[in-house]
Amino acid sequence: MATSAARPGTVPPKDLESFQAHLNKSTRILALLGAGLSASSGLPTFRGAGGLWRTHDAVQLATPEAFGRDPGLVWQFYNYRRHMALQAKPNPAHYALADLARKKDGFLTLSQNVDGLSPRASHPEDKLKLLHGSLYDVKCSDFFCNYFEKNNYTDPIVPALAIPTDDSDPTTTEAIKARELDISDENIALPEIDYNHLPKCPTCKRGLLRPGVVWFGEMLPKDVLSDIDEWLTESDKIDLIMVIGTSAKVYPAAGYVDLARAKGARVAVINMDKKDQPASGMYKRDWFFEGDAATIVPELLKSVVGEITEMPDAAGTA
């Protein structure tokens, strides 16, 4: 098939044809997802240039020690992220991957994202492994309590964490819908929230609830890793691994690319940055699709999932 120049953000026809021919016959497929998948949904990321939230290094807020020192500040950071993610919508790539999971029994998605967009796109739960947890899971921080709640979309999770609004002009009819202030801006005053107004565990009554994400210094969830290992050992063959919106240079993510390759997988990278290649580099039969995942992924998967038309949002019914 002759190759013609692709429009910006679309896939060159020859590459599209070869990828879809391989996808159509593939029975065991992995997808590894990173923050770039959700970029088109308008979500801010805090791992990259700057990496600041207000004047705080966002990475330094994502630790058990930070929560122990100042749970109010940490909860304000995570409540902001929950709020922003709920304002965002899953994009066509989330829905295309969810459809692929329903169409291909041997498809497993490993997500490093905590934004809840894949679950909200109704990605089958048994085919989606959240390596770093979710902003919408909450658990008790008390060592002796096992309280855990999935998919808590309450926003704010407690009244004290409500995003402050600009009530400077009470004469307008819009005062009821006062403009939310951007508390990621260090020039916006951030209220101090004491222990008594933070979310408490309903079971033990002692511990504070905390976001159900994996903080730096914590182990990845054992049950998730166990499920992935079980899937990996079910067969000596993997046909394809799609690396979407992540550089896959950090372990264990990088290790899954290597494991898939060792079982014969071809690698397809979908990323905005041509330099974001897996730690093991690109091989001759790999594909690199440069551009917006929200546009490229549905195009790549169209031969299996068809056109993405309906995009219901599970959070709307939560």
Side-chain angles (χ1 to χ4, degrees):
M1 180 177 180
T3 302
S4 59
R7 299 189 310 277
T10 63
V11 179
K14 186 177 180 181
D15 291 341
L16 179 63
E17 181 184 36
S18 67
F19 174 85
Q20 289 184 337
H22 187 70
L23 172 70
N24 293 348
K25 67 184 182 184
S26 293
T27 57
R28 282 177 57 79
I29 305 167
L30 275 175
L32 181 62
L33 314 181
L37 172 66
S38 300
S40 289
S41 295
L43 283 186
T45 61
F46 297 98
R47 298 287 303 277
L52 293 179
W53 184 72
R54 298 175 67 86
T55 58
H56 305 282
D57 181 338
V59 172
Q60 297 300 318
L61 291 176
T63 68
E65 292 77 17
F67 189 75
R69 282 192 306 269
D70 194 342
L73 176 65
V74 172
W75 254 120
Q76 283 176 307
F77 172 55
Y78 279 96
N79 185 73
Y80 170 81
R81 292 181 64 185
R82 284 166 57 97
H83 181 73
M84 294 299 290
L86 279 175
Q87 305 311 302
K89 300 290 183 187
N91 65 53
H94 292 104
Y95 289 100
L97 289 164
D99 276 357
L100 187 66
R102 284 185 281 271
K103 299 276 175 58
K104 293 268 192 182
D105 286 339
F107 175 45
L108 186 68
T109 296
L110 319 181
S111 179
Q112 302 170 89
N113 297 336
V114 297
D115 54 38
L117 293 178
S118 289
R120 283 169 53 192
S122 298
H123 197 116
E125 190 174 347
D126 62 328
K127 303 282 191 70
L128 178 66
K129 302 303 171 184
L130 301 178
L131 290 166
H132 297 161
S134 169
L135 291 170
Y136 302 101
D137 295 345
V138 290
K139 60 184 182 179
C140 184
S141 60
D142 188 280
F143 181 80
F144 297 102
C145 182
N146 294 321
Y147 177 79
F148 182 89
E149 180 186 358
K150 284 183 69 68
N151 297 333
N152 179 322
Y153 293 114
T154 305
D155 181 33
I157 192 166
V158 289
L161 287 168
I163 304 294
T165 55
D166 178 6
D167 302 313
S168 58
D169 186 4
T171 62
T172 67
T173 56
E174 290 298 308
I176 299 170
K177 303 175 186 176
R179 182 176 61 86
E180 289 179 346
L181 297 174
D182 179 9
I183 64 168
S184 69
D185 181 349
E186 63 183 281
N187 296 310
I188 301 295
L190 195 64
E192 286 192 20
I193 302 176
D194 62 28
Y195 177 89
N196 292 327
H197 293 90
L198 290 171
K200 304 290 193 314
C201 177
T203 299
C204 73
K205 314 293 185 187
R206 296 185 309 272
L208 290 176
L209 293 180
R210 53 158 281 186
V213 298
V214 178
W215 281 332
F216 291 95
E218 294 183 327
M219 301 288 288
L220 297 185
K222 287 182 181 178
D223 57 337
V224 171
L225 294 180
S226 176
D227 288 348
I228 296 170
D229 287 344
E230 185 178 329
W231 188 92
L232 289 169
T233 56
E234 277 175 1
S235 170
D236 291 333
K237 185 165 180 59
I238 297 174
D239 299 299
L240 172 68
I241 181 168
M242 295 180 285
V243 182
I244 305 171
T246 175
S247 64
K249 285 183 168 62
V250 178
Y251 286 83
Y256 290 128
V257 176
D258 296 340
L259 279 168
R261 279 198 198 280
K263 289 176 178 278
R266 295 180 69 177
V267 177
V269 178
I270 299 96
N271 205 296
M272 293 287 286
D273 188 345
K274 194 75 175 176
K275 296 190 295 292
D276 269 346
Q277 299 180 3
S280 52
M282 299 295 290
Y283 289 19
K284 185 176 180 181
R285 297 175 72 242
D286 294 343
W287 297 272
F288 195 105
F289 300 108
E290 184 178 5
D292 182 355
T295 302
I296 291 175
V297 171
E299 188 175 0
L300 291 177
L301 304 186
K302 186 177 176 181
S303 62
V304 175
V305 306
E307 292 278 0
I308 299 300
T309 52
E310 292 188 26
M311 296 195 291
D313 186 346
T317 59

